Amino acid sequence: SFPVFQRLVALPFYTTTMAANAAADQKRQGFADLDGIDIFEKVKDKKVKAADKAGEAKHHALQEMALQIANELVKQAAPEDKPFVGAQPMLLKKPSIATPEETERVTLVTCKTVQRLIKDAKAVHVFVGQDARHSLDAKQLLDCAEEHDNKAPTMVSMASDWLQTLPFTTAPNHFDTGDRLLIYIGTPGKYLSMCIKSYRGEFDKAYKADRLVILCKGVCMLPLGTQEQNIFGLDQDAVVKTIVAAVRSKGGVGWGHGAGTRAALLQKAFGYPEGHALPKTLTYSGDAGGDSTPFDYLVSYVKYLNEVKLAKPTIPVTNWFDTGLLVSVLQGCIVNAGTSLLTDGDGLSMLRDASIGHIISKLNQMLCVEPYNTTKGVYNFF
């Protein structure tokens, strides 16, 4: 139930370390606390309480979540009549780099198509992903959004992946896209969306209705003719400029996370917000059982880390999550509790790729590479 690795410095946390025995001929004896007392010895006489009705309901919900995740991991062939059949990955047998002329041509086609789609759409919803945060044009769109206009022709939202890198203990509101043209600027990922419970089914609905545009690392997926198609090798910055200009010329731009939230969210994303009060030291709440599950301990721990980050914005506090059923259920529990995963861009990339090797590479980086291994902070690997 504990994170695999914790490096906690200069913060009042209760940590556990492997018990080190001074005698070289003796084996280590389990986990010990900071006073050298074996943790298991202190709790060997305690028994887990029987689950009550609330606890049984929680266990049932966990089982349903695990089953849903397991079913989603089973690959299925896409039906031929799906509108996104044309938008398939391109398998390259050798490197292929678009020439300036090719880039100019496909960029022009994409910009004209996007302009037409935005003009013809009754309404638009633009999502800005975490890896698009460096775009000045995307930032301009976020800055011009009006908080009190939820019926604007265009709504703009920070994508769920970006929000999971910001500290919060109450999840921001999400605007319902409905039948709007959905434009996503960033890198979506199926496994990531499953873990953070984002846009489940919304992309599929937009696919079927030919109203989905995704701009991702020089590739744009958008409706061409009767189905979605991929256009490779374009100038992404030019397309973002086109999107921003087209939606602003369409009319007002509304903020998709509710009134009174824009300044706080953008300050967390682009600046250093004023620190909150320090939270009380996290304490052991008692044995699992009754209306609790073992996951509740880790959820409360991650919530506490969010409170620490809110209190000390300049101190690194970051969680990285491995790939697998157990960790996926944990992330689902954290998100369902309205708490941020508090990860970073690398953590999002790990979840997009769903590779168990990435977290080991990140662990090695934090241990061996400067300035990571010399920077004081809170680093957790789940």
Short mmCIF file of all heavy atoms in Angstrom, two decimals, residues 150-189:
data_model
loop_
_atom_site.label_atom_id
_atom_site.label_comp_id
_atom_site.label_asym_id
_atom_site.label_seq_id
_atom_site.Cartn_x
_atom_site.Cartn_y
_atom_site.Cartn_z
N ASN A 150 -21.41 31.25 -20.56
CA ASN A 150 -21.39 29.82 -20.88
C ASN A 150 -22.26 29.47 -22.08
O ASN A 150 -22.48 28.30 -22.38
CB ASN A 150 -21.82 28.99 -19.67
CG ASN A 150 -23.23 29.32 -19.20
OD1 ASN A 150 -23.91 30.16 -19.78
ND2 ASN A 150 -23.67 28.66 -18.14
N LYS A 151 -22.76 30.51 -22.78
CA LYS A 151 -23.51 30.28 -24.01
C LYS A 151 -22.82 30.94 -25.20
O LYS A 151 -23.45 31.20 -26.23
CB LYS A 151 -24.94 30.82 -23.86
CG LYS A 151 -25.76 30.07 -22.82
CD LYS A 151 -27.19 30.57 -22.75
CE LYS A 151 -28.01 29.81 -21.71
NZ LYS A 151 -29.41 30.31 -21.64
N ALA A 152 -21.53 31.22 -25.04
CA ALA A 152 -20.77 31.85 -26.11
C ALA A 152 -20.64 30.91 -27.31
O ALA A 152 -20.70 29.69 -27.16
CB ALA A 152 -19.38 32.24 -25.60
N PRO A 153 -20.47 31.45 -28.51
CA PRO A 153 -20.28 30.60 -29.68
C PRO A 153 -19.10 29.66 -29.54
O PRO A 153 -19.10 28.56 -30.09
CB PRO A 153 -20.05 31.62 -30.82
CG PRO A 153 -20.66 32.88 -30.35
CD PRO A 153 -20.50 32.89 -28.86
N THR A 154 -18.08 30.10 -28.79
CA THR A 154 -16.91 29.26 -28.55
C THR A 154 -16.65 29.16 -27.05
O THR A 154 -16.63 30.19 -26.35
CB THR A 154 -15.66 29.83 -29.24
OG1 THR A 154 -15.88 29.89 -30.65
CG2 THR A 154 -14.45 28.96 -28.96
N MET A 155 -16.47 27.95 -26.56
CA MET A 155 -16.04 27.72 -25.19
C MET A 155 -14.62 27.16 -25.23
O MET A 155 -14.28 26.35 -26.10
CB MET A 155 -16.97 26.74 -24.48
CG MET A 155 -18.40 27.21 -24.35
SD MET A 155 -18.59 28.69 -23.31
CE MET A 155 -18.14 28.02 -21.70
N VAL A 156 -13.79 27.60 -24.30
CA VAL A 156 -12.42 27.11 -24.23
C VAL A 156 -12.17 26.53 -22.84
O VAL A 156 -12.61 27.08 -21.83
CB VAL A 156 -11.40 28.23 -24.54
CG1 VAL A 156 -11.51 29.38 -23.55
CG2 VAL A 156 -9.98 27.67 -24.54
N SER A 157 -11.49 25.38 -22.81
CA SER A 157 -11.21 24.69 -21.56
C SER A 157 -9.77 24.22 -21.54
O SER A 157 -9.18 23.92 -22.59
CB SER A 157 -12.13 23.47 -21.37
OG SER A 157 -13.49 23.82 -21.35
N MET A 158 -9.20 24.14 -20.35
CA MET A 158 -7.93 23.44 -20.16
C MET A 158 -8.25 21.95 -20.17
O MET A 158 -9.16 21.51 -19.46
CB MET A 158 -7.28 23.86 -18.85
CG MET A 158 -6.96 25.34 -18.78
SD MET A 158 -6.44 25.89 -17.13
CE MET A 158 -4.84 25.10 -17.00
N ALA A 159 -7.53 21.18 -20.96
CA ALA A 159 -7.82 19.75 -21.06
C ALA A 159 -7.56 19.05 -19.72
O ALA A 159 -6.77 19.53 -18.90
CB ALA A 159 -6.98 19.11 -22.15
N SER A 160 -8.22 17.93 -19.52
CA SER A 160 -8.12 17.21 -18.25
C SER A 160 -6.69 16.79 -17.94
O SER A 160 -6.30 16.74 -16.76
CB SER A 160 -9.03 15.98 -18.28
OG SER A 160 -10.38 16.35 -18.27
N ASP A 161 -5.89 16.45 -18.97
CA ASP A 161 -4.52 16.05 -18.68
C ASP A 161 -3.74 17.20 -18.06
O ASP A 161 -2.96 17.00 -17.11
CB ASP A 161 -3.83 15.52 -19.95
CG ASP A 161 -3.63 16.59 -21.01
OD1 ASP A 161 -4.36 17.60 -20.99
OD2 ASP A 161 -2.72 16.41 -21.85
N TRP A 162 -3.96 18.42 -18.56
CA TRP A 162 -3.27 19.59 -17.99
C TRP A 162 -3.71 19.82 -16.55
O TRP A 162 -2.89 20.10 -15.67
CB TRP A 162 -3.57 20.80 -18.86
CG TRP A 162 -2.70 21.99 -18.60
CD1 TRP A 162 -1.73 22.12 -17.64
CD2 TRP A 162 -2.70 23.23 -19.32
NE1 TRP A 162 -1.13 23.35 -17.72
CE2 TRP A 162 -1.71 24.05 -18.73
CE3 TRP A 162 -3.44 23.71 -20.39
CZ2 TRP A 162 -1.44 25.34 -19.19
CZ3 TRP A 162 -3.18 24.99 -20.85
CH2 TRP A 162 -2.20 25.80 -20.27
N LEU A 163 -5.00 19.69 -16.29
CA LEU A 163 -5.51 19.92 -14.94
C LEU A 163 -4.89 18.95 -13.94
O LEU A 163 -4.69 19.30 -12.77
CB LEU A 163 -7.03 19.78 -14.93
CG LEU A 163 -7.82 20.85 -15.70
CD1 LEU A 163 -9.31 20.53 -15.70
CD2 LEU A 163 -7.56 22.24 -15.13
N GLN A 164 -4.56 17.72 -14.38
CA GLN A 164 -3.99 16.74 -13.47
C GLN A 164 -2.55 17.05 -13.09
O GLN A 164 -1.96 16.35 -12.26
CB GLN A 164 -4.07 15.34 -14.08
CG GLN A 164 -5.48 14.81 -14.25
CD GLN A 164 -6.25 14.72 -12.95
OE1 GLN A 164 -5.69 14.48 -11.89
NE2 GLN A 164 -7.55 14.94 -13.01
N THR A 165 -1.96 18.09 -13.68
CA THR A 165 -0.63 18.53 -13.27
C THR A 165 -0.69 19.71 -12.31
O THR A 165 0.35 20.17 -11.83
CB THR A 165 0.22 18.94 -14.50
OG1 THR A 165 -0.35 20.12 -15.10
CG2 THR A 165 0.26 17.81 -15.53
N LEU A 166 -1.90 20.21 -12.04
CA LEU A 166 -2.08 21.34 -11.14
C LEU A 166 -2.65 20.85 -9.81
O LEU A 166 -3.43 19.90 -9.77
CB LEU A 166 -3.04 22.36 -11.75
CG LEU A 166 -2.73 22.82 -13.18
CD1 LEU A 166 -3.79 23.82 -13.64
CD2 LEU A 166 -1.35 23.43 -13.27
N PRO A 167 -2.29 21.49 -8.69
CA PRO A 167 -2.80 21.04 -7.39
C PRO A 167 -4.23 21.51 -7.14
O PRO A 167 -4.56 22.67 -7.34
CB PRO A 167 -1.82 21.68 -6.39
CG PRO A 167 -1.34 22.92 -7.09
CD PRO A 167 -1.31 22.59 -8.56
N PHE A 168 -5.08 20.59 -6.70
CA PHE A 168 -6.43 20.95 -6.25
C PHE A 168 -6.99 19.77 -5.47
O PHE A 168 -6.58 18.61 -5.66
CB PHE A 168 -7.36 21.32 -7.41
CG PHE A 168 -7.52 20.25 -8.47
CD1 PHE A 168 -8.38 19.17 -8.26
CD2 PHE A 168 -6.84 20.32 -9.67
CE1 PHE A 168 -8.54 18.19 -9.23
CE2 PHE A 168 -6.99 19.35 -10.64
CZ PHE A 168 -7.84 18.28 -10.42
N THR A 169 -7.90 20.06 -4.58
CA THR A 169 -8.60 19.02 -3.81
C THR A 169 -10.08 18.98 -4.14
O THR A 169 -10.80 18.13 -3.62
CB THR A 169 -8.40 19.24 -2.30
OG1 THR A 169 -8.85 20.55 -1.96
CG2 THR A 169 -6.93 19.09 -1.91
N THR A 170 -10.53 19.90 -4.97
CA THR A 170 -11.88 19.89 -5.50
C THR A 170 -11.78 20.08 -7.01
O THR A 170 -11.26 21.10 -7.47
CB THR A 170 -12.75 21.01 -4.90
OG1 THR A 170 -12.80 20.86 -3.49
CG2 THR A 170 -14.16 20.94 -5.47
N ALA A 171 -12.24 19.10 -7.77
CA ALA A 171 -12.03 19.12 -9.22
C ALA A 171 -12.75 20.31 -9.86
O ALA A 171 -13.89 20.62 -9.50
CB ALA A 171 -12.53 17.82 -9.83
N PRO A 172 -12.10 20.98 -10.82
CA PRO A 172 -12.77 22.06 -11.56
C PRO A 172 -13.95 21.54 -12.37
O PRO A 172 -14.00 20.36 -12.73
CB PRO A 172 -11.67 22.58 -12.49
CG PRO A 172 -10.38 22.11 -11.89
CD PRO A 172 -10.69 20.82 -11.22
N ASN A 173 -14.90 22.42 -12.62
CA ASN A 173 -16.06 22.04 -13.43
C ASN A 173 -15.64 21.76 -14.88
O ASN A 173 -14.65 22.30 -15.37
CB ASN A 173 -17.11 23.15 -13.42
CG ASN A 173 -17.70 23.37 -12.04
OD1 ASN A 173 -17.82 22.44 -11.27
ND2 ASN A 173 -18.06 24.61 -11.74
N HIS A 174 -16.42 20.92 -15.55
CA HIS A 174 -16.19 20.62 -16.96
C HIS A 174 -17.42 21.01 -17.76
O HIS A 174 -18.53 20.58 -17.44
CB HIS A 174 -15.87 19.14 -17.16
CG HIS A 174 -14.51 18.73 -16.67
ND1 HIS A 174 -13.37 18.90 -17.41
CD2 HIS A 174 -14.12 18.18 -15.50
CE1 HIS A 174 -12.34 18.47 -16.73
NE2 HIS A 174 -12.76 18.03 -15.56
N PHE A 175 -17.23 21.80 -18.79
CA PHE A 175 -18.34 22.22 -19.65
C PHE A 175 -18.72 21.07 -20.57
O PHE A 175 -17.86 20.39 -21.15
CB PHE A 175 -17.93 23.44 -20.47
CG PHE A 175 -19.01 23.97 -21.36
CD1 PHE A 175 -20.01 24.77 -20.84
CD2 PHE A 175 -19.04 23.65 -22.71
CE1 PHE A 175 -21.02 25.26 -21.65
CE2 PHE A 175 -20.03 24.14 -23.53
CZ PHE A 175 -21.03 24.95 -23.00
N ASP A 176 -20.01 20.83 -20.71
CA ASP A 176 -20.51 19.76 -21.57
C ASP A 176 -20.42 20.19 -23.03
O ASP A 176 -21.06 21.16 -23.44
CB ASP A 176 -21.96 19.43 -21.20
CG ASP A 176 -22.52 18.27 -22.01
OD1 ASP A 176 -21.72 17.55 -22.67
OD2 ASP A 176 -23.74 18.07 -22.00
N THR A 177 -19.63 19.45 -23.82
CA THR A 177 -19.42 19.82 -25.22
C THR A 177 -20.72 19.74 -26.02
O THR A 177 -20.96 20.55 -26.92
CB THR A 177 -18.36 18.90 -25.86
OG1 THR A 177 -17.14 19.02 -25.13
CG2 THR A 177 -18.13 19.26 -27.31
N GLY A 178 -21.56 18.76 -25.71
CA GLY A 178 -22.80 18.60 -26.46
C GLY A 178 -22.53 18.30 -27.92
O GLY A 178 -21.72 17.44 -28.26
N ASP A 179 -23.20 19.04 -28.82
CA ASP A 179 -23.01 18.81 -30.25
C ASP A 179 -22.12 19.88 -30.89
O ASP A 179 -22.17 20.10 -32.10
CB ASP A 179 -24.36 18.75 -30.98
CG ASP A 179 -25.16 20.04 -30.81
OD1 ASP A 179 -24.70 20.94 -30.08
OD2 ASP A 179 -26.24 20.14 -31.42
N ARG A 180 -21.29 20.54 -30.11
CA ARG A 180 -20.36 21.53 -30.63
C ARG A 180 -19.24 20.86 -31.43
O ARG A 180 -18.91 19.68 -31.21
CB ARG A 180 -19.73 22.35 -29.50
CG ARG A 180 -20.70 23.28 -28.78
CD ARG A 180 -20.06 23.89 -27.54
NE ARG A 180 -20.95 24.87 -26.92
CZ ARG A 180 -20.77 26.19 -26.96
NH1 ARG A 180 -19.71 26.69 -27.60
NH2 ARG A 180 -21.63 27.02 -26.38
N LEU A 181 -18.64 21.62 -32.32
CA LEU A 181 -17.40 21.18 -32.98
C LEU A 181 -16.33 21.08 -31.90
O LEU A 181 -16.05 22.05 -31.19
CB LEU A 181 -16.99 22.18 -34.06
CG LEU A 181 -15.64 21.92 -34.75
CD1 LEU A 181 -15.71 20.66 -35.60
CD2 LEU A 181 -15.24 23.13 -35.61
N LEU A 182 -15.71 19.91 -31.76
CA LEU A 182 -14.72 19.68 -30.70
C LEU A 182 -13.32 19.80 -31.31
O LEU A 182 -12.94 19.02 -32.17
CB LEU A 182 -14.93 18.29 -30.09
CG LEU A 182 -14.26 17.97 -28.75
CD1 LEU A 182 -14.89 16.73 -28.12
CD2 LEU A 182 -12.76 17.75 -28.89
N ILE A 183 -12.56 20.77 -30.81
CA ILE A 183 -11.18 20.98 -31.26
C ILE A 183 -10.25 20.73 -30.08
O ILE A 183 -10.36 21.38 -29.04
CB ILE A 183 -10.97 22.39 -31.81
CG1 ILE A 183 -11.90 22.65 -33.00
CG2 ILE A 183 -9.51 22.60 -32.23
CD1 ILE A 183 -11.81 24.06 -33.56
N TYR A 184 -9.34 19.77 -30.25
CA TYR A 184 -8.40 19.41 -29.17
C TYR A 184 -6.99 19.75 -29.64
O TYR A 184 -6.49 19.18 -30.61
CB TYR A 184 -8.51 17.93 -28.85
CG TYR A 184 -7.80 17.50 -27.58
CD1 TYR A 184 -8.51 17.32 -26.39
CD2 TYR A 184 -6.43 17.28 -27.56
CE1 TYR A 184 -7.87 16.93 -25.23
CE2 TYR A 184 -5.78 16.89 -26.40
CZ TYR A 184 -6.50 16.72 -25.24
OH TYR A 184 -5.85 16.34 -24.08
N ILE A 185 -6.33 20.68 -28.94
CA ILE A 185 -4.95 21.06 -29.25
C ILE A 185 -4.05 20.41 -28.21
O ILE A 185 -4.01 20.82 -27.05
CB ILE A 185 -4.77 22.59 -29.23
CG1 ILE A 185 -5.78 23.26 -30.17
CG2 ILE A 185 -3.35 22.97 -29.62
CD1 ILE A 185 -5.79 24.78 -30.08
N GLY A 186 -3.36 19.36 -28.59
CA GLY A 186 -2.53 18.62 -27.64
C GLY A 186 -2.45 17.17 -28.03
O GLY A 186 -2.80 16.78 -29.14
N THR A 187 -2.00 16.34 -27.08
CA THR A 187 -1.80 14.92 -27.34
C THR A 187 -2.74 14.09 -26.47
O THR A 187 -2.45 13.89 -25.29
CB THR A 187 -0.34 14.51 -27.06
OG1 THR A 187 0.55 15.40 -27.72
CG2 THR A 187 -0.08 13.08 -27.54
N PRO A 188 -3.84 13.61 -27.01
CA PRO A 188 -4.71 12.73 -26.23
C PRO A 188 -4.12 11.33 -26.16
O PRO A 188 -3.22 10.97 -26.92
CB PRO A 188 -6.02 12.75 -27.02
CG PRO A 188 -5.58 12.99 -28.43
CD PRO A 188 -4.35 13.85 -28.37
N GLY A 189 -4.61 10.52 -25.26
CA GLY A 189 -4.16 9.13 -25.14
C GLY A 189 -5.26 8.29 -24.53
O GLY A 189 -5.90 8.69 -23.56
#
